[in-house]
Amino acid sequence: MMRQVCSAPGKIILFGEHFVVYNSRAILCAIDKRVEVTAQRRRNNTISIKSNMLSASIRPSTPHMVVDKRTRPFYYIAQSLGMADVEINIRSSLPSGAGLGSSSACCVATAGAVLPLSGMNRSILDVSIEAERTIQPSSSGADCAVCTHGGLIEYAIGTPPRQLDTPIPSDLKLIVANSGVNHNTGEMVARVRHVYKKYPKKFTILSKKADSLTSLAMDSINDIPKLGYLAASNQLLLEKIGISNNTLRQMIRIADRHSYGSKITGSGGGGCIVAITDDTNAHSTLMALSDAGYDSFVARITRTGAST
Ligand code: PMV
């Protein structure tokens, strides 16, 4: 085989970001914005990585840790799968640095495209988590799990992702608004680690609360107002671990005037918020956030994970 294409969805973390790194459970869903990766064999003893933002050609003998962080995970996938002659082309409709899973979806789609060419018998999820950890060593793997499997999943480190088996209510509308402030997952994870080290007992209590919210939310998928209430409760925990700021708080105030509840999604510091709505308040929530100047859209949950 000479050429393989794989696409993977972006994601929203509905419950449990950050606490998932400390073994709490999280709920994530895949959304209808995707990345597509084409991997093609070349006979030039080079691993090439191209996207609309970058272009790099790297000798396959280069140790992955000295490769630029923007290309490192993709280079690592090719190199660790023994693919010395490959060109990887990435096309993404996801904003990067916004907490919508751009980096994980790219890792998953790259693993999905390169694996069949390599002939190796490894799972897309394992390879993509390994790749992501070359830039985020403490990554929980939650983002790669949902980008691989699609749908709505419960995730905890060390256990297989659990797909929600009941139908997702058709009138559940997730409104995503982008603060326009780029965030850096590594920095935010480090900030939270600092809080954890300084106040271990308090952090453990917050982590247990986050885990209970996840559990309640998993049982309340059909009760949209309750999901909103639980999201707002999750936001209070995220405020306590220091990942919020005035811009995000302002966005949440606007969203909460119309929606059932909203929260930061992803590592925070910037990036996006998600508001829980249904047919009765989706439009007003979307308009309020857009009118305030935030790029906003209705995210649809997709069942299609990594797909070749
Ligand atoms: O990169 P983001 O914004 O999707 O955040 C990653 C999610 C965290 O829970 C903050 C980290 C992790 O590894 O799960």
Side-chain angles (χ1 to χ4, degrees):
M1 189 192 281
M2 293 298 285
R3 186 174 179 274
Q4 179 71 56
V5 181
C6 180
S7 77
K11 66 91 197 41
I12 295 173
I13 304 181
L14 291 171
F15 293 92
E17 51 273 271
H18 286 290
F19 298 106
V20 67
V21 175
Y22 301 85
N23 297 313
S24 288
R25 290 167 290 175
I27 299 178
L28 301 95
C29 64
I31 59 169
D32 58 346
K33 285 186 188 288
R34 305 183 71 85
V35 307
E36 186 182 88
V37 171
T38 306
Q40 202 153 359
R41 274 183 185 277
R42 300 274 185 225
R43 305 224 175 276
N44 55 0
N45 195 36
T46 300
I47 294 171
S48 303
I49 297 143
K50 294 182 179 161
S51 76
N52 53 357
M53 292 196 310
L54 54 90
S55 173
S57 290
I58 308 159
R59 289 274 164 229
S61 53
T62 312
H64 70 265
M65 286 315 284
V66 304
V67 171
D68 184 278
K69 277 193 165 183
R70 288 170 307 163
T71 45
R72 188 185 300 162
F74 319 117
Y75 172 78
Y76 173 83
I77 290 171
Q79 194 204 37
S80 66
L81 296 176
M83 295 291 295
D85 303 286
V86 69
E87 184 178 303
I88 293 164
N89 274 290
I90 301 171
R91 281 196 308 150
S92 174
S93 60
L94 283 162
S96 67
L100 298 179
S102 156
S103 147
S104 313
C106 288
C107 286
V108 168
T110 302
V114 177
L115 263 168
L117 299 186
S118 75
M120 288 221 193
N121 184 18
R122 296 202 50 205
S123 79
I124 294 180
L125 181 55
D126 287 350
V127 172
S128 57
I129 291 179
E130 251 177 50
E132 189 155 68
R133 287 188 178 150
T134 64
I135 47 168
Q136 304 294 348
S138 60
S139 167
S140 65
D143 290 11
C144 287
V146 76
C147 297
T148 301
H149 294 291
L152 196 143
I153 65 162
E154 183 185 82
Y155 184 86
I157 291 176
T159 54
R162 186 164 78 91
Q163 281 274 355
L164 180 85
D165 32 29
T166 55
I168 297 159
S170 58
D171 56 341
L172 171 64
K173 300 273 181 315
L174 303 172
I175 310 294
V176 175
N178 193 339
S179 65
V181 179
N182 248 34
H183 76 180
N184 179 320
T185 303
E187 268 172 31
M188 299 314 292
V189 169
R191 187 185 292 188
V192 173
R193 187 161 301 278
H194 184 71
V195 175
Y196 165 72
K197 288 212 164 125
K198 205 162 173 201
Y199 308 104
K201 283 197 184 131
K202 275 191 194 157
F203 193 93
T204 305
I205 293 169
L206 297 177
S207 206
K208 284 198 176 131
K209 284 189 181 161
D211 190 68
S212 316
L213 287 177
T214 294
S215 170
L216 281 170
M218 208 63 185
D219 293 338
S220 315
I221 294 298
N222 287 306
D223 185 343
I224 299 172
K226 185 166 174 194
L227 270 188
Y229 169 78
L230 295 172
S233 309
N234 193 158
Q235 176 58 23
L236 297 179
L237 303 180
L238 295 176
E239 288 286 345
K240 291 202 167 127
I241 59 170
I243 65 150
S244 193
N245 59 33
N246 287 340
T247 305
L248 295 167
R249 273 190 286 275
Q250 163 73 2
M251 294 170 79
I252 280 160
R253 262 196 301 276
I254 295 169
D256 285 353
R257 275 184 218 135
H258 302 271
S259 70
Y260 294 116
S262 64
K263 62 180 274 295
I264 292 166
T265 179
S267 57
C272 293
I273 65 152
V274 58
I276 310 290
T277 71
D278 60 16
D279 290 336
T280 66
N281 53 3
H283 183 71
S284 56
T285 307
L286 184 69
M287 291 323 288
L289 287 160
S290 303
D291 288 350
Y294 301 107
D295 238 350
S296 309
F297 64 96
V298 184
R300 273 170 244 289
I301 300 177
T302 174
R303 292 256 175 219
T304 314
S307 144
T308 51

